[in-house]
Amino acid sequence: MRNFLLLFLLLMPVIGSCTDDYDDSAAWKDIDGIYKDLDQLKEKLNSLQLQANALSQIVKGGAITSVTEAANGGYVISYKGSDNVEHSFNIATTDQMVSSPIIGIQEEAGTYYWTTTTKGQTTFLLDTNKQKIPVSGSAPQIRVDENGYWVINGQQILDSNQKPIKAEGKTASLITKVEMNDNGTASITLGNGEILSVSTFTLFNVEFKNASQPAISPIIIEEGTKSLTLNYNIIGKKAAQTLMLITRSDDGVEVKLNSSNKTLAVTFTDDFEEGVTMIMLYDTEDNVLIKPIRFTLPIVENGGIATATDFKAFIDAVTNGGSLRKFKDTEGNVILLNDIDMKDIALTSGAGSKVTSNTTSANTKVVYTISEQTFNGVFDGKGHSINNLTCTYNLEDGNIAHGLFNSLGSSGII
């Protein structure tokens, strides 16, 4: 969609070529507004998909492990999935919602099924055989098509007039409330008013503190920190019979467990940016909970690419697998902070490892190989330009993808 919008802008001066003083400021303002809506939709889609995936896992045999208040006024819901790993997702509260959820759940004859809600009317979501889809099955795949309409499991969602439903960049939530009960269950209130009762896992869990303050994943580490000590406390009905061990840690993070002092000694490498350690809790009756603890540096204030030197450093960081943190804004996107003049810097390589092929012969099946280092984030120019760019590439270096970016990862967006 973005490519179409940019092409439309480029063609507008041609369409109106009868005048030499075409003012495109209004068009750019409209495009900026559309981009903002697209960004809101992306965030909304991610949230809905996470909640749908979570509900599917919980109903299939998972369990809610904790409910904590989030910094934005919503809540962080943690649950144990069928993989024994504790996952988390965020929900909005009812007063934060300004539009009805596009997807929900409804009970029929003791079984919960996925539904869609359009203009106040709720219908069951059907599979390709026109059968209702149980929540205990696979979670529906939610997206917005190239024209901006809701699509679930590959099908446009239609209203009562058989018209597709336009997606809007507003806050929506499949789940609006989760309450832990005393009887081993939790009550999940859905956006359509349905209340779902699910199991809780209260046998054991673990809480962490950094000094006297609760430490909730992701744990923010100040830049330059070499080590810290976390105190922990195992809680739950079977806390006294529960054992804990560390199963693995990412490169850049080393964690040592001291069960006598109930502490975790965490050390970080000089180039640390983000890392995870996996902790396993278990008892003698084969109950297991795997808990990932993520450590991360704080977001850089005013992060982004401001100069030609910054841009060259960004290209090199992608190619060498270095940190991109200082080039990112508060949303985690790499951005341009202003127009970039590259007149004094020539690029001799694009961002990322080279892309190679298995053959140069005609009529031969070609297999392209993308090496490990790719750009796998979002690069947003924010309406700025890169000027006086000179690229001098060696076309015999084995790389068949020359440009600003040699290749993108599966999540790469420009």
Side-chain angles (χ1 to χ4, degrees):
M1 184 183 291
R2 291 196 178 194
N3 290 337
F4 170 78
L5 294 169
L6 291 174
L7 178 61
F8 174 72
L9 272 182
L10 291 172
L11 290 176
M12 284 187 69
V14 177
I15 296 171
S17 58
C18 58
T19 176
D20 292 331
D21 56 353
Y22 171 73
D23 182 3
D24 64 354
S25 58
W28 276 113
K29 183 177 180 180
D30 290 341
I31 294 300
D32 286 341
I34 293 172
Y35 279 7
K36 183 177 180 180
D37 286 344
L38 289 173
D39 291 337
Q40 290 176 326
L41 278 175
K42 177 181 173 184
E43 182 178 350
K44 177 180 179 179
L45 279 169
N46 290 340
S47 176
L48 286 175
Q49 191 66 66
L50 282 173
Q51 292 178 40
N53 294 343
L55 272 178
S56 180
Q57 287 289 314
I58 293 167
V59 172
K60 270 194 286 193
I64 300 287
T65 57
S66 67
V67 180
T68 56
E69 189 169 351
N72 64 358
Y75 291 89
V76 179
I77 311 301
S78 297
Y79 69 97
K80 175 183 176 181
S82 56
D83 54 2
N84 274 322
V85 176
E86 188 179 55
H87 306 269
S88 297
F89 64 94
N90 290 70
I91 65 171
T93 58
T94 304
D95 61 336
Q96 292 173 322
M97 293 178 60
V98 293
S99 65
S100 298
I102 191 70
I103 191 167
I105 289 173
Q106 189 167 306
E107 186 266 343
E108 184 179 85
T111 302
Y112 285 94
Y113 297 95
W114 293 108
T115 63
T116 58
T117 301
T118 57
K119 295 186 176 179
Q121 294 187 339
T122 299
T123 58
F124 287 106
L125 183 63
L126 304 179
D127 61 20
T128 54
N129 297 318
K130 306 300 181 183
Q131 299 296 311
K132 295 189 290 292
I133 302 173
V135 176
S136 58
S138 59
Q141 299 304 301
I142 310 165
R143 68 179 181 88
V144 174
D145 67 15
E146 64 275 8
N147 296 313
Y149 295 101
W150 284 114
V151 174
I152 298 181
N153 285 352
Q155 300 293 320
Q156 278 189 333
I157 301 304
L158 306 179
D159 62 18
S160 57
N161 298 317
Q162 299 302 298
K163 300 292 185 182
I165 302 298
K166 195 79 172 179
E168 299 178 283
K170 297 179 180 179
T171 300
S173 186
L174 169 58
I175 302 170
T176 60
K177 187 178 182 181
V178 177
E179 292 180 303
M180 302 286 279
N181 305 319
D182 295 331
N183 60 355
T185 66
S187 298
I188 299 178
T189 303
L190 306 177
N192 61 4
E194 189 84 24
I195 298 179
L196 182 65
S197 180
V198 299
S199 299
T200 57
F201 184 80
T202 57
L203 296 179
F204 48 76
N205 209 322
V206 60
E207 296 176 333
F208 296 96
K209 286 188 176 182
N210 184 5
S212 60
Q213 298 299 315
I216 301 174
S217 180
I219 299 174
I220 307 300
I221 307 300
E222 291 299 324
E223 191 161 9
T225 299
K226 299 299 183 183
S227 64
L228 65 82
T229 299
L230 296 178
N231 298 294
Y232 72 85
N233 182 38
I234 298 177
I235 60 174
K237 298 176 182 177
K238 297 189 67 176
Q241 293 83 41
T242 301
L243 301 175
M244 187 172 90
L245 58 84
I246 298 169
T247 59
R248 72 170 182 85
S249 296
D250 286 348
D251 292 340
V253 180
E254 182 180 356
V255 182
K256 293 183 178 181
L257 170 67
N258 187 324
S259 56
S260 299
N261 297 332
K262 291 189 175 182
T263 60
L264 293 181
V266 188
T267 56
F268 307 98
T269 59
D270 292 337
D271 58 351
F272 170 80
E273 181 177 355
E274 185 176 58
V276 175
T277 188
M278 301 295 287
I279 293 173
M280 182 171 75
L281 295 98
Y282 62 98
D283 62 16
T284 57
E285 297 179 2
D286 295 329
N287 295 301
V288 177
L289 175 63
I290 308 295
K291 193 178 186 76
I293 307 298
R294 183 174 298 277
F295 302 92
T296 182
L297 295 180
I299 294 172
V300 176
E301 293 295 331
N302 302 316
I305 298 173
T307 65
T309 301
D310 286 347
F311 189 78
K312 179 61 167 58
F314 162 73
I315 295 286
D316 292 341
V318 174
T319 303
N320 299 323
S323 172
L324 303 181
R325 179 171 160 268
K326 67 180 180 180
F327 307 118
K328 296 179 179 180
D329 63 6
T330 55
E331 297 179 354
N333 300 331
V334 175
I335 63 170
L336 297 185
L337 296 174
N338 38 244
D339 292 348
I340 305 297
D341 188 348
M342 297 289 291
K343 66 179 181 179
D344 297 324
I345 297 178
L347 295 183
T348 56
S349 173
S353 303
K354 65 175 60 175
V355 179
T356 59
S357 67
N358 67 322
T359 182
T360 57
S361 302
N363 301 320
T364 301
K365 182 179 180 180
V366 181
V367 177
Y368 297 103
T369 301
I370 299 175
S371 299
E372 180 180 359
Q373 305 303 339
T374 63
F375 179 69
N376 211 32
V378 176
F379 183 95
D380 188 349
K382 294 292 185 181
H384 299 299
S385 61
I386 301 173
N387 303 313
N388 299 316
L389 179 63
T390 301
C391 303
T392 305
Y393 299 146
N394 177 8
L395 300 183
E396 297 181 355
D397 62 359
N399 185 13
I400 62 172
H402 296 92
L404 286 182
F405 294 83
N406 290 336
S407 60
L408 296 179
S410 59
S411 300
I413 299 174
I414 300 176

